[in-house]
Amino acid sequence: MNLSNNFTLAELVKSQTAVRKNINNEPGTAEINNLIHLAEAVLQPVREHFGKPVMISSGYRSPALCEAIGSSAKSQHAQGEAADFEIPGVDNMQLATWISKNTIFDQLILEYYEPGDPNSGWVHCSAVKEGPRAQVLKATKVEGKTKYENILL
């Protein structure tokens, strides 16, 4: 099933962890509709602007899969509203900056990015149909724990 011109449902539900642990990672109708919105609002514009494939590392995660990886079952991933991704050859700071200025998103997190290392980290972005927060954060590890800070891009 196509979610947009360049994104399929299969690539946004793919999970090696779900396969290894035999966890059902099939979204329902509401989650699929949210994934379509995410693809149309954020992922497809990114693909069209940069002209390169977007590598999705995590899209939809069922509540059981979220719990299996230590995430919250209430994560936006479990609602089909979020994806983690990169574009090979594009600095993740450049990617996050473009998203922040050119799309309507709910939450944008530059995860574990190290200035000077364009391949470090990844981008987490969510989109909601109503009341997007336009929240921009940076995630770093501090004493073994993830710390989130508001940032301006």
Side-chain angles (χ1 to χ4, degrees), residues 108-149:
L108 175 63
I109 307 174
L110 186 57
E111 304 240 20
Y112 309 107
Y113 177 80
E114 296 290 334
D117 182 0
N119 295 316
S120 64
W122 63 89
V123 171
H124 164 100
C125 193
S126 64
V128 296
K129 294 175 185 171
E130 294 181 22
R133 297 173 287 175
Q135 181 181 46
V136 182
L137 303 169
K138 153 177 102 165
T140 56
K141 281 280 187 203
V142 177
E143 297 178 3
K145 294 185 179 184
T146 302
K147 178 183 174 189
Y148 294 94
E149 299 175 58

Side-chain angles (χ1 to χ4, degrees), residues 22-81:
N22 199 29
I23 297 171
N24 180 350
N25 198 44
E26 292 182 28
T29 302
E31 292 82 10
I32 291 171
N33 287 332
N34 289 339
L35 287 166
I36 290 168
H37 178 70
L38 175 65
E40 291 175 347
V42 176
L43 300 174
Q44 190 63 43
V46 164
R47 172 69 167 88
E48 290 171 2
H49 173 75
F50 288 98
K52 296 180 176 185
V54 176
M55 308 305 291
I56 308 290
S57 56
S58 183
Y60 173 75
R61 297 191 301 237
S62 67
L65 180 57
C66 285
E67 290 176 1
I69 65 166
S71 181
S72 169
K74 295 180 180 181
S75 160
Q76 285 186 291
H77 286 278
Q79 306 304 313
E81 295 173 337

